[in-house]
Amino acid sequence: MLPDPVIRTNPDERHAQLVRVPTWMWLDRAMWRPVSKTATVPGVTVTATAIPRTATWLMGDGQSVVCEGAGTPYSRKYAADSRSPDCGHTYVRSSVRQPEDAYTVSVTVAWDVEWHDGGQQGLIPGLQTQAEMPLRVAEAQALVVA
């Protein structure tokens, strides 16, 4: 069985994202690795290895992002307004008019399965795992006074 993706964001998904501030997305590193299984029947042993290839994010605002890997976890070594080097999105509208005031963010991980036995091998592309979560996006207003 393939592992389910575990979505992570910065700002943390428990807090609202902000309009025009980059949102970082990544998947738990523990699931972004090859998974191998071996099966044996009399005379034949087959090993199959599933390899995660891409993560396709639907951001809930009509935009999508395709990432070639799990994404880079945010850390304090990055400036607060910096963009993710490999997997991010910037919202331009708040989620206030969405159901429960949140966008539904989903990610689909595409896996390829490579298999081999004594003298044969093959590839099964296109297996998928998915996850989703609500993500609130707020808009901060500034007032400049003299």
Side-chain angles (χ1 to χ4, degrees):
M1 176 174 272
L2 297 175
D4 290 327
V6 177
I7 296 173
R8 302 281 188 239
T9 64
N10 188 70
D12 186 283
E13 62 271 7
R14 293 172 295 181
H15 301 91
Q17 312 298 299
L18 286 174
V19 168
R20 304 206 187 283
V21 174
T23 298
W24 290 47
M25 299 104 58
W26 67 95
L27 298 172
D28 183 53
R29 295 274 187 223
M31 67 76 46
W32 196 273
R33 60 178 172 72
V35 177
S36 292
K37 296 290 182 189
T38 300
T40 302
V41 295
V44 178
T45 298
V46 176
T47 299
T49 302
I51 303 163
R53 297 294 186 195
T54 60
T56 301
W57 297 80
L58 300 179
M59 302 310 299
D61 63 351
Q63 300 296 310
S64 63
V65 178
V66 178
C67 304
E68 296 299 321
T72 300
Y74 180 81
S75 75
R76 292 179 189 241
K77 72 180 181 180
Y78 299 106
D81 63 347
S82 65
R83 296 183 182 279
S84 169
D86 54 4
C87 198
H89 178 67
T90 300
Y91 286 96
V92 296
R93 289 191 176 82
S94 79
S95 60
V96 72
R97 290 195 170 97
Q98 299 300 309
E100 299 184 34
D101 293 333
Y103 289 120
T104 298
V105 173
S106 66
V107 64
T108 300
V109 177
W111 300 76
D112 288 342
V113 178
E114 298 173 354
W115 62 270
H116 62 87
D117 69 6
Q120 306 226 356
Q121 62 185 15
L123 175 70
I124 303 169
L127 295 180
Q128 298 180 342
T129 54
Q130 297 178 322
E132 69 177 37
M133 69 175 207
L135 196 63
R136 291 181 302 117
V137 179
E139 186 167 8
Q141 300 289 329
L143 178 62
V144 179
V145 293

